[in-house]
Amino acid sequence: MTSSASSLLVIYTGGTLGMVESPDGLIPSHDIEDRLRRTLATLPPSRLASLPDFRVIATPQPIDSSAATPRDWQGLARLIAEHYADVAGIVVIHGTDTLAWTAASLAYQLQGLDRPVVLTGAMHPLEAPGSDALGNLESALRFAADPRLQEVAVCFAGRLLRGVRCRKWQTQSVDAFASPNHPTLGEWVDDDPVLYPGRGLERQQRGAPRFELPDYAPLAAGAVPRIVLWPGLAAWQLEAWLLDERVKGALLEVWGGGNLPDDPELAGVLAQACGEGKLLAAISQCPIGAVTIGHYAAGRPLADAGVLAGDDMTPEAAATKLVHLLAQPLREDERRRRFLTPLVGERAAP
């Protein structure tokens, strides 16, 4: 198939969909294009004939997505930006373990999209009996050919989810992803992709995309930790994380609607970290619903310390947003303002 402005680009980054057996278990494969085309050729003739035209490129070193880092998010966004103007849409084949993290990061880096960027993968390799790979691949290609979709999305098990709102929800089921605080963007119905009106992201301005492609490398080695509270958490443990000079920000997963243990020493560590200019945000450990910091007295220390409320964001969306903002040369007050502002539909509007 030839490349043109009406064709799609498929980017293979690794993951179970393209893996093959080895003596040590499943590993990424390097002959992905031939395997994709052979698998798609098993579709009924009418569906095969109506598939959008596409070409395939692979990242230099396909990986198991459990090995992904912010450098990989950065490299993938820059690769998409390089080819974006030449294609009608892009499909990214990715491992499922960190697919939601990559989707969220891409949404922040590729703001202002006017065409689809669709991530997909599979729970089983292409050639495995009963694999979900063919269904996910076909539906992703068809959604990526729909110009009405103008955001980063995840297509999996017949559903299209906002990339910055989804999470991996199951370890084994083929219906592996969920969007706990945002409705499904579309579904695969009777062998056709259906987008639901009014649920997609509308472009905020016309003209060129507002891509933001900062250098994530300085933050890639643990500069933005994710800290989940547990009963018995001690101030010295939080201090070890937050007051290390290498830490530039952190995501706190607190209890319920935004609560913290009744411990002045814990609150003091948070206040000191924020006072040092570190960007701290909090979301709930509950997957459904939002934090409302300060609603309970137990949450006042978070607000008093300067911890930002992440509303109903997923951990993936909140953590990647912190990385994205910290990678840019912004004033502290501007970083805080942007974190509280919905940029790509990642949180409810204030």
Side-chain angles (χ1 to χ4, degrees):
M1 298 184 182
T2 60
S3 171
S4 72
S6 62
S7 68
L8 304 181
L9 175 65
V10 175
I11 301 175
Y12 173 64
T13 69
T16 299
L17 182 147
M19 287 188 173
V20 294
E21 289 286 354
S22 80
D24 297 321
L26 290 172
I27 59 172
S29 165
H30 294 274
D31 57 345
I32 190 64
E33 180 166 5
D34 288 343
R35 295 173 60 214
L36 290 176
R37 295 193 186 280
R38 283 198 302 269
T39 301
L40 289 168
T42 65
L43 289 169
S46 60
R47 279 168 45 199
L48 178 61
S50 64
L51 274 180
D53 189 40
F54 69 91
R55 61 189 176 95
V56 180
I57 60 175
T59 53
Q61 185 60 48
I63 60 171
D64 186 302
S65 74
S66 61
T69 74
R71 288 188 180 90
D72 294 292
W73 308 336
Q74 174 183 314
L76 182 56
R78 293 183 178 185
L79 182 61
I80 291 171
E82 178 185 345
H83 294 277
Y84 177 84
D86 300 324
V87 295
I90 294 171
V91 172
V92 177
I93 297 174
H94 197 284
T96 60
D97 283 345
T98 61
L99 187 150
W101 293 81
T102 297
S105 179
L106 289 179
Y108 298 126
Q109 294 182 80
L110 304 175
Q111 295 179 47
L113 288 173
D114 65 356
R115 64 202 69 184
V117 173
V118 180
L119 285 81
T120 193
M123 301 301 285
H124 305 284
L126 278 165
E127 294 85 1
S131 174
D132 58 329
L134 174 58
N136 288 346
L137 178 61
E138 181 189 5
S139 54
L141 287 168
R142 295 192 187 279
F143 275 116
D146 192 327
R148 295 173 299 167
L149 180 63
Q150 299 185 347
E151 61 182 285
V152 176
V154 169
C155 185
F156 217 91
R159 294 188 301 147
L160 189 74
L161 310 175
R162 174 161 293 162
V164 78
R165 285 286 196 158
C166 77
R167 305 192 68 188
K168 187 174 181 182
W169 212 250
Q170 304 274 357
T171 63
Q172 296 180 323
S173 170
V174 295
D175 189 11
F177 286 83
S179 180
N181 291 314
H182 193 273
T184 302
L185 298 180
E187 290 188 85
W188 185 250
V189 180
D190 296 330
D191 297 333
D192 283 309
V194 176
L195 289 177
Y196 294 129
R199 296 187 184 181
L201 243 153
E202 295 182 3
R203 295 187 67 207
Q204 297 175 13
Q205 66 181 43
R206 293 295 168 185
R210 303 183 310 282
F211 289 179
E212 295 179 357
L213 303 170
D215 184 8
Y216 286 176
L219 302 167
V224 186
R226 172 186 176 187
I227 304 171
V228 182
L229 301 191
W230 70 90
L233 172 67
W236 68 265
Q237 294 170 309
L238 197 60
E239 181 178 342
W241 279 105
L242 294 183
L243 302 187
D244 188 304
E245 64 180 10
R246 293 167 293 185
V247 170
K248 307 305 178 185
L251 175 64
L252 307 174
E253 294 187 34
V254 300
W255 289 309
N259 297 324
L260 193 70
D262 184 13
D263 182 344
E265 291 187 5
L266 281 176
V269 173
L270 294 175
Q272 182 177 345
C274 289
E276 293 176 355
K278 297 180 180 183
L279 191 63
L280 305 188
I283 61 172
S284 177
Q285 293 181 20
C286 302
I288 298 175
V291 294
T292 51
I293 292 176
H295 181 68
Y296 288 92
R300 281 303 325 168
L302 290 168
D304 293 343
V307 176
L308 299 169
D311 196 68
D312 61 349
M313 296 170 72
T314 64
E316 297 87 347
T320 56
K321 189 172 187 179
L322 290 173
V323 169
H324 186 68
L325 295 176
L326 287 164
Q328 299 180 68
L330 302 171
R331 299 189 316 272
E332 181 182 349
D333 62 336
E334 179 62 11
R335 283 197 182 103
R336 295 174 65 86
R337 186 192 70 79
R338 290 195 193 187
F339 185 85
L340 295 171
T341 301
L343 301 179
V344 285
E346 74 278 9
R347 60 183 293 159

